[in-house]
């Protein structure tokens, strides 16, 4: 539907539709974020032999709603010596691209918003804008811990952006397209998901993606035990919520992207096509989200130098190897 | 850049302040500032009778109150020449070793939390809870156990308590294996702790370190073996030592110490006298004869020494505590300079300080 609107000439009715659809998507993403936080707490709770939220609403289902309400009605504290303008705008800069990248993700054959030819490129380009938001937040706070968190974040996200992008170049070579819908269709036609021929790429993406999300074991920008809370030390109330939201929206986007690139998107395995594609998409997506939760409850955190070393000395050479290998195989056998 | 780590920092294990100079992430200078929890225990003791001092010792190393209790009563008993009944000594050993495991569990959990791993912390507290419940049953407290008395212990073990301890030993052994599976083999963990905070045996001895912090540097010194007190000479156990004295070695030493404590508890429960007194013959008002005494014991943090001077009154003339955390902490600046910020919690956590004991 959105694709039709985008291809039609501009009219006020179309604009209204665009806004309505955007609001609806935002609603879906926010509900996902709310329940992702709930499930994260539940799943990690089970792994750590405790119960997790179980008081607000049935089975604690309204816990996150209560948390969000609490954050919204909190006093908006802006410390005295911060760079006020940057301090206020940093969470917005961090959040906006996170939401914008959702536009290019296809959820099923019919459910997508923009059929962009350079979808992958768009994803890579936009997601790096968030770094500025985090750095600004850390710097504008006028706090030594937060500036360290901000600096770490920049170093980490720039370093891991490289292997992340390189890890799906193999797929781009195989399909000859940067369009996410074409990539899923290529997997459907060949009957093989790219996780198998591009296994190395998948592993690199999994690790680099986790690092991009700033989640354990790569949660250095907010390392509580070293930096108290990192780049958002001074943020409270809904500005803090914006940073949290950014993180979880990226989780949504990253898991969706991984599903599309490596797990065949909405493609049904074993010919089980009577189950709608969106169900398959959600299942694969949830599996990846579960992996992220699982990793968080299992691993200790790495150090900055180890993190950098791992990106530049291990992941990037491996990603290069993957790209070259794919190119050689493709030119020799296909 | 000057950075104040603490006194309100999640990883300083209490109200500890560390002023560090950093160049980027690298530490160029580190100055520990202590005293935020100082209560003047040693001075207060001069105005208290010997029995009244005991609760103050609970609050030194509040994670290991039983051993602290013992340190004081041992000094008074030595000074006054009081005989302690066998059953009381066995009870003391059992509760002290249980408390040592509980203390090491808190270290294990918090040290890993310092490294960014959350689950071990909760795993440790799950098992510590069992010990705390058992100690609660016997002493009536959950943290500041106040169980030892001059000449014996306050209460006898409740019905079925010894049986509970007996059952706990195999349970805990399994759990320690689980800890190793969860953490010890983890690549990230090893990368964070190997070759970090290294010091050799000579440095350790020169700085007067004791406990696991000393043994991690391959010095086989454990007061329970070298100068046995209570009934420790009746048990078979090993003193684990590390090789090169890095954070990993101190980690392994403490993990192994928990296993050895379980061995001691197992034997103590086997040899536990069926019946007998739990309190020796002690005068109503304790008046230590004129003189002085220094006694030492192995607490979970190291050598806990009590130097007691008496002028023949019912109160000590002078009490000096040799607190292992305080002594062990001295080495910190030396270990930190040249390392990165991320190593601060790892190194500090591996020293395993309790600020109640550092400040006293």
């Amino acid at each position: 539907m959105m694709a039709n609107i985008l291809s039609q000439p501009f009219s006020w009715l179309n604009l209204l539709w665009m806004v309505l659809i955007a609001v609806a998507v935002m609603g879906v993403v926010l509900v996902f974020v709310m329940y992702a936080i709930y499930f994260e707490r539940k799943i990690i709770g089970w792994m750590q032999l405790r119960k997790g939220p179980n008081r607000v609403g049935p089975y604690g289902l309204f816990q996150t709603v209560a948390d969000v309400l609490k954050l919204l009605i909190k006093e908006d504290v802006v410390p005295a010596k911060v760079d006020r303008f940057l301090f206020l705008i940093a969470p917005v800069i961090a959040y906006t691209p996170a939401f914008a990248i959702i536009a290019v993700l296809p959820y099923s054959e019919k459910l997508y918003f923009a059929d962009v030819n350079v979808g992958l490129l768009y994803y890579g380009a936009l997601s790096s804008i968030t770094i500025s938001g985090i750095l600004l937040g850390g710097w504008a706070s006028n706090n030594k811990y937060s500036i360290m968190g901000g600096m770490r974040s920049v170093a980490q996200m720039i370093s891991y952006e490289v292997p992340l992008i390189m890890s799906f170049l193999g797929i781009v070579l195989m399909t000859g397209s940067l369009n996410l819908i074409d990539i899923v269709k290529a997997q459907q036609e060949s009957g093989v998901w790219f996780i198998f021929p591009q296994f190395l790429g998948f592993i690199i993406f999994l690790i680099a993606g986790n690092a991009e999300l700033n989640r354990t074991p790569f949660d250095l920008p907010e390392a509580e035990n070293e930096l108290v809370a990192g780049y958002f030390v001074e943020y409270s109330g809904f500005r803090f919520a914006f940073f949290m939201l950014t993180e979880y929206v990226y989780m949504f986007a990253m898991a969706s992207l991984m599903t599309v690139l490596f797990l065949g998107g909405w493609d049904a395995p074993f010919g089980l096509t009577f189950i709608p594609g969106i169900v398959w998409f959600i299942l694969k997506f949830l599996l990846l989200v579960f992996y992220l939760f699982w990793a968080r409850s299992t691993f200790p955190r790495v150090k900055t130098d180890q993190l950098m070393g791992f990106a530049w000395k291990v992941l990037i050479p491996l990603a290069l190897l993957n790209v070259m290998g794919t190119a050689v195989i493709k030119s020799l056998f296909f | 850049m000057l950075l104040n780590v603490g006194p309100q920092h999640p990883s300083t294990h209490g109200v500890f302040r560390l002023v560090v100079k950093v160049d980027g992430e690298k530490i160029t200078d580190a100055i520990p500032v202590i005293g935020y929890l100082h209560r003047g225990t040693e001075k207060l003791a001069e105005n208290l009778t010997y029995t009244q001092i005991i609760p103050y010792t609970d609050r030194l190393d509040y994670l290991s109150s039983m051993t602290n209790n013992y340190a004081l009563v041992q000094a008074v008993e030595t000074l006054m020449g009081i005989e302690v009944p066998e059953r009381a000594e066995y009870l003391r050993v059992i509760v002290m070793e249980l408390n040592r495991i509980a203390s090491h569990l808190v270290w294990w959990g918090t040290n890993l939390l310092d490294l960014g791993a959350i689950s071990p912390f909760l795993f440790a507290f799950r098992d510590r809870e069992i010990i705390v419940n058992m100690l609660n049953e016997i002493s009536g407290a959950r943290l500041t156990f106040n169980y030892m008395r001059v000449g014996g212990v306050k209460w006898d073990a409740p019905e079925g308590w010894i049986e509970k301890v007996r059952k706990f030993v195999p349970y805990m052994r399994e759990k320690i294996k689980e800890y190793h599976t969860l953490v010890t083999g983890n690549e990230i963990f090893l990368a964070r702790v190997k070759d970090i905070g290294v010091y050799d045996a000579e440095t350790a001895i020169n700085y007067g370190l004791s406990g696991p912090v000393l043994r991690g540097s391959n010095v086989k010194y454990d007061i329970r073996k070298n100068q046995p007190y209570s009934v420790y000479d009746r048990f078979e156990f090993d003193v684990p030592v590390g090789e090169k004295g890095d954070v990993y070695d101190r980690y392994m030493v403490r993990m192994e110490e928990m296993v050895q404590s379980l061995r001691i508890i197992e034997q103590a429960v086997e040899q536990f006298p069926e019946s007998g007194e739990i309190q020796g013959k002690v005068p109503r008002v304790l008046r230590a004869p004129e003189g002085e005494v220094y006694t030492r014991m192995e607490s979970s943090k190291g050598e806990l020494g009590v130097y007691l001077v008496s002028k023949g009154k019912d109160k000590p003339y002078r009490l000096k505590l040799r607190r292992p955390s305080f002594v062990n902490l001295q080495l910190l600046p030396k270990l930190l300079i040249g390392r990165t910020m991320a190593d601060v919690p790892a190194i500090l956590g591996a020293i395993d300080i309790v600020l109640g004991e550092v400040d006293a």
Side-chain angles (χ1 to χ4, degrees):
Chain A
M1 174 151 189
M2 195 70 183
N4 292 336
I5 295 169
L6 284 171
S7 58
Q8 280 165 17
F10 177 78
S11 73
W12 288 111
L13 183 72
N14 280 350
L15 181 69
L16 181 72
W17 272 114
M18 277 187 213
V19 172
L20 283 181
I21 292 174
V23 170
V25 178
M26 184 128 158
V28 171
V29 174
L30 288 184
V31 168
F32 161 79
V33 168
M34 249 158 46
Y35 285 96
I37 296 174
Y38 171 77
F39 276 110
E40 173 154 30
R41 290 165 71 172
K42 273 287 184 195
I43 288 167
I44 294 182
W46 287 327
M47 287 179 180
Q48 296 171 341
L49 312 144
R50 56 197 172 83
K51 290 200 166 120
N54 65 353
R55 282 291 180 273
V56 193
Y59 306 105
L61 279 169
F62 300 149
Q63 177 68 47
T64 328
V65 183
D67 285 342
V68 170
L69 278 178
K70 192 195 90 187
L71 283 175
L72 288 180
I73 58 175
K74 261 192 168 180
E75 187 191 350
D76 180 22
V77 182
V78 180
K81 289 191 176 171
V82 299
D83 186 326
R84 203 179 159 86
F85 176 70
L86 293 180
F87 184 82
L88 297 184
I89 205 160
V92 183
I93 295 177
Y95 175 71
T96 317
F99 186 59
I101 52 172
I102 292 170
V104 292
L105 297 170
Y107 307 103
S108 79
E109 220 155 344
K110 296 207 181 82
L111 189 64
Y112 57 87
F113 300 98
D115 186 2
V116 183
N117 274 334
V118 286
L120 266 177
L121 221 54
Y122 172 86
Y123 182 99
L126 237 69
S127 65
S128 30
I129 297 178
T130 297
I131 303 172
S132 343
I134 290 179
L135 178 66
L136 279 183
W139 184 79
S141 297
N142 193 13
N143 178 316
K144 288 168 185 171
Y145 285 114
S146 67
I147 186 77
M148 277 175 94
M151 297 301 283
R152 279 182 175 194
S153 170
V154 173
Q156 172 176 345
M157 287 172 97
I158 290 176
S159 304
Y160 276 85
E161 200 86 28
V162 182
L164 186 80
I165 306 268
M166 286 200 332
S167 68
F168 54 65
L169 283 185
I171 291 176
V172 176
L173 282 175
M174 284 174 81
T175 57
S177 170
L178 285 164
N179 185 316
L180 290 168
I181 300 173
D182 288 351
I183 288 172
V184 178
K185 283 191 176 148
Q187 295 179 70
Q188 265 180 322
E189 279 158 24
S190 65
V192 180
W193 295 350
F194 286 143
I195 183 173
F196 299 110
Q198 287 291 321
F199 189 70
L200 188 59
F202 174 72
I203 296 294
I204 296 167
F205 195 104
L206 203 65
I207 298 171
N210 201 348
E212 282 285 292
L213 291 170
N214 291 340
R215 288 178 63 86
T216 315
F218 305 107
D219 56 342
L220 293 117
E222 50 193 272
E224 181 200 318
N225 315 89
E226 297 144 29
L227 303 182
V228 192
Y231 63 89
F232 53 70
V233 172
E234 300 288 358
Y235 283 91
S236 65
F238 74 95
R239 286 180 209 289
F240 165 77
F242 255 88
F243 277 125
M244 277 277 110
L245 205 61
T246 310
E247 205 164 284
Y248 279 88
V249 172
Y250 268 117
M251 192 162 78
F252 175 89
M254 197 67 82
S256 302
L257 190 66
M258 240 189 289
T259 312
V260 167
L261 288 179
F262 293 99
L263 299 179
W266 61 84
D267 185 33
F270 312 117
L272 295 168
T273 41
F274 62 92
I275 299 169
I278 184 74
V279 176
W280 286 115
F281 183 91
I282 292 173
L283 280 178
K284 294 168 190 174
F285 165 82
L286 288 180
L287 191 74
L288 291 167
V289 172
F290 176 76
Y291 154 77
L292 291 171
F293 293 163
W294 184 14
R296 179 170 173 189
S297 75
T298 316
F299 293 127
R301 182 185 306 122
V302 294
K303 277 196 310 197
T304 332
D305 50 332
Q306 294 165 350
L307 181 92
M308 293 297 156
F310 190 63
W312 294 100
K313 290 180 196 156
V314 181
L315 287 184
I316 292 178
L318 279 179
L320 273 174
L321 191 75
N322 186 42
V323 175
M324 285 199 293
T326 313
V328 168
I329 291 171
K330 188 170 174 179
S331 60
L332 286 183
F333 302 103
F334 295 97
Chain B
M1 187 164 73
L2 201 75
L3 197 62
N4 273 295
V5 185
Q8 266 83 21
H9 188 281
S11 298
T12 49
H13 296 229
V15 279
F16 174 59
R17 177 168 163 224
L18 184 70
V19 183
V20 287
K21 277 199 188 120
V22 283
D23 178 12
E25 289 248 345
K26 209 172 173 186
I27 296 168
T28 52
D29 198 9
I31 307 149
V33 183
I34 59 169
Y36 291 88
L37 196 58
H38 181 60
R39 292 147 299 182
T41 311
E42 290 169 355
K43 188 71 190 165
L44 284 168
E46 292 170 17
N47 292 314
L48 298 165
T49 64
Y50 291 105
T51 320
Q52 283 171 333
I53 305 170
I54 299 173
Y56 285 79
T57 62
D58 304 344
R59 282 141 183 89
L60 293 171
D61 174 2
Y62 37 75
L63 295 176
S64 187
S65 302
M66 290 290 189
T67 47
N68 291 27
N69 269 191
Y70 183 81
L72 182 82
V73 297
Q74 182 195 24
V76 180
E77 281 159 9
T78 315
L79 194 59
M80 295 178 68
I82 293 170
E83 281 279 318
V84 182
E86 207 176 46
R87 193 175 157 92
E89 288 286 23
Y90 274 97
L91 279 172
R92 283 176 172 187
V93 167
I94 293 171
V95 295
M96 279 198 289
E97 291 307 318
L98 282 173
N99 210 172
R100 186 187 313 276
I101 297 172
S103 169
H104 280 354
L105 281 176
V106 175
W107 154 80
W108 186 74
T110 52
N111 195 14
L112 282 155
L113 194 65
D114 291 345
L115 297 174
I118 318 160
S119 298
F121 182 69
L122 289 135
F123 278 50
F125 271 72
R126 166 196 66 189
D127 297 326
R128 179 178 178 269
E129 187 67 15
I130 303 170
I131 301 178
V132 168
N133 280 336
M134 288 195 294
L135 295 182
N136 182 18
E137 275 176 44
I138 202 166
S139 75
R142 287 180 59 83
L143 185 71
T144 50
F145 314 111
N146 181 11
Y147 183 58
M148 313 266 176
R149 290 293 178 273
V150 177
V153 290
K154 176 75 177 155
W155 290 291
D156 204 346
E159 194 121 332
W161 192 82
I162 291 291
E163 202 46 47
K164 263 187 201 164
V165 177
R166 199 195 303 271
K167 280 188 187 143
F168 171 74
V169 174
Y171 168 84
M172 195 59 215
R173 278 205 180 112
E174 279 307 304
K175 291 299 162 195
I176 291 173
K177 280 181 199 154
E178 189 185 318
Y179 297 168
H180 281 301
T181 318
L182 179 67
V183 175
T184 313
N186 187 302
E187 284 292 331
I188 300 176
F189 168 74
L190 293 176
R192 285 297 301 273
V193 295
K194 281 219 163 166
D195 300 318
I196 305 286
V198 189
Y199 51 83
D200 57 3
E202 202 188 334
T203 314
I205 293 167
N206 286 347
Y207 272 84
L209 305 189
S210 54
V213 187
L214 172 72
R215 292 192 283 273
S217 296
N218 204 0
V219 182
K220 208 167 185 164
Y221 175 75
D222 185 322
I223 302 167
R224 290 174 296 174
K225 274 271 191 227
N226 294 52
Q227 207 186 74
Y229 50 90
S230 192
V231 284
Y232 274 108
D233 49 350
R234 302 184 195 174
F235 308 120
E236 264 181 40
F237 63 97
D238 301 321
V239 179
V241 288
E243 279 162 24
K244 52 185 170 187
D246 53 4
V247 171
Y248 176 75
D249 278 344
R250 301 200 270 285
Y251 171 91
M252 286 310 277
V253 164
R254 288 202 184 89
M255 292 303 272
E256 186 55 30
E257 270 193 27
M258 285 200 264
V259 177
Q260 297 303 326
S261 284
L262 288 172
R263 262 177 87 185
I264 298 175
I265 294 171
E266 199 171 38
Q267 292 169 55
V269 167
E270 284 312 314
Q271 300 172 18
F272 190 68
E274 285 288 314
S275 58
E277 287 292 311
I278 55 147
Q279 182 68 38
K281 296 242 178 311
V282 178
R284 263 182 91 85
V285 179
L286 295 171
R287 268 183 227 282
E290 204 161 321
E292 56 184 61
V293 67
Y294 178 77
T295 56
R296 62 183 90 194
M297 58 104 54
E298 188 75 27
S299 93
S300 58
K301 314 282 186 288
E303 174 176 334
L304 179 57
V306 176
Y307 176 61
L308 201 61
V309 183
S310 168
K311 294 276 182 192
K313 304 260 174 59
D314 58 344
K315 292 165 187 158
Y317 176 76
R318 176 82 174 92
L319 174 75
K320 168 85 181 99
L321 298 161
R322 188 236 184 248
R323 295 106 55 195
S325 289
F326 175 71
V327 180
N328 295 346
L329 188 61
Q330 289 181 95
L331 193 59
L332 185 69
K334 188 180 157 74
L335 297 180
L336 286 183
I337 292 168
R339 308 296 324 180
T340 60
M341 267 304 287
D343 288 327
V344 174
I347 292 172
L348 181 64
I351 297 179
D352 188 21
I353 52 163
V354 162
L355 265 296
E357 193 175 67
V358 173
D359 286 352

